[in-house]
Amino acid sequence: MAPVITIDGPSGSGKGTIASRLAEILGWRCLDSGALYRLLGYSAERAGIAFDDVKQLAQMALKMNIEFREGRVLLDGEDVSLAIRTEQAGNAASKVAALPEVRETLLTWQRACAVEPGLVADGRDMGSVVFPAAEVKIFLDASAEERAQRRYKQLIEKGLSANLTSLIAEIRERDDRDRNRSVAPLKAPDGALIVDSTALSIDEVLKRVLARVYQVLPELE
Ligand code: DC
């Protein structure tokens, strides 16, 4: 299997930004696994499928035709990049992600992304479940307040509406669900470098992550 770097962490910890910057620097492919759960949550809501209808959701996950192209996310050919970034889609994602059957269905799809020269994968269970043999594992964390602030800025910049107080509450609720679910809960995998990004800039986080990557894989420097 091609080399893999996993970046796990809670919502808004900056893992998406770090993963794509790292992939760009290394010339590797990048997997945003959260987008898969967001796509499924969004599609289920749109199709009126209940978040506990395991059979239909797993079937939908199997049938989804997903393409990541030039920073856009296409679902059956339709550009849904913005639609899946809303808090509503994030909450729907967190609910469907708690179902073992759904996670199992998405496993093969995710593992198939590990192609040469390498893959940077971000999510909640990349280092613990999807790529347990990854060469480098990172766990990015930050306080709920800081993460809500970041999400607030992102949403406003994208022209979407946002409310800081409800964002903090939603982030806490989502954390709780992601950390306490029975299957693949959010937690730092064994051997991961834990980086608390609350008081760090993106460049500072990237510097620490790169230092670990070059320490383990010196041939990449
Ligand atoms: O990273 P994100 O906010 O886009 O993820 C959306 C939801 O998807 C998140 O609340 C939990 C779920 N998720 C997951 O369970 N496992 C992953 N590997 C990635 C995301």
Side-chain angles (χ1 to χ4, degrees):
M1 210 211 257
V4 176
I5 297 170
T6 60
I7 304 188
D8 289 303
S11 203
S13 58
K15 56 190 180 345
T17 308
I18 296 297
S20 59
R21 292 271 297 269
L22 186 60
E24 207 179 302
I25 291 169
L26 300 175
W28 287 13
R29 192 167 166 182
C30 190
L31 166 66
D32 168 9
S33 65
L36 299 179
Y37 293 96
R38 283 174 180 267
L39 279 166
L40 187 60
Y42 170 75
S43 307
E45 206 155 43
R46 199 163 65 165
I49 297 174
F51 293 133
D52 59 357
D53 189 339
V54 178
K55 222 173 139 192
Q56 283 227 58
L57 287 171
Q59 245 174 33
M60 187 172 233
L62 257 183
K63 277 199 258 158
M64 282 194 304
N65 176 14
I66 307 159
E67 270 179 274
F68 289 99
R69 205 191 296 159
E70 290 157 14
R72 320 293 307 165
V73 186
L74 306 184
L75 176 64
D76 299 323
E78 179 191 346
D79 187 343
V80 292
S81 319
L82 265 187
I84 63 163
R85 291 294 146 204
T86 62
E87 289 310 293
Q88 193 179 348
N91 277 320
S94 173
K95 286 177 188 156
V96 297
L99 304 171
E101 294 82 354
V102 163
R103 306 197 71 85
E104 184 64 36
T105 309
L106 293 177
L107 257 188
T108 321
W109 201 99
Q110 295 175 87
R111 288 191 176 139
C113 294
V115 290
E116 296 292 347
L119 175 73
V120 180
D122 92 67
R124 302 290 187 293
D125 61 341
M126 296 296 100
S128 54
V129 176
V130 183
F131 302 109
E135 277 71 8
V136 179
K137 297 181 185 183
I138 309 286
F139 190 84
L140 262 191
D141 212 344
S143 71
E145 290 76 11
E146 174 64 22
R147 289 184 284 126
Q149 281 278 3
R150 291 177 190 169
R151 194 63 109 199
Y152 180 80
K153 266 180 71 184
Q154 272 178 1
L155 290 170
I156 297 296
E157 273 166 21
K158 282 183 179 153
L160 296 164
S161 69
N163 173 299
L164 190 57
T165 315
S166 47
L167 273 179
I168 296 176
E170 277 167 22
I171 279 201
R172 290 219 168 98
E173 191 189 319
R174 177 123 54 102
D175 275 4
D176 212 47
R177 195 160 46 226
D178 294 346
R179 288 183 207 271
N180 296 318
R181 66 184 175 216
S182 60
V183 56
L186 168 69
K187 68 169 182 0
D190 285 344
L193 170 73
I194 299 175
V195 181
D196 186 332
S197 76
T198 307
L200 298 179
S201 68
I202 292 170
D203 284 340
E204 284 167 328
V205 175
L206 194 59
K207 210 169 133 192
R208 290 180 195 203
V209 171
L210 271 173
R212 167 60 74 103
V213 170
Y214 293 147
Q215 180 194 15
V216 180
L217 303 165
E219 66 278 15
L220 295 180
E221 198 164 359

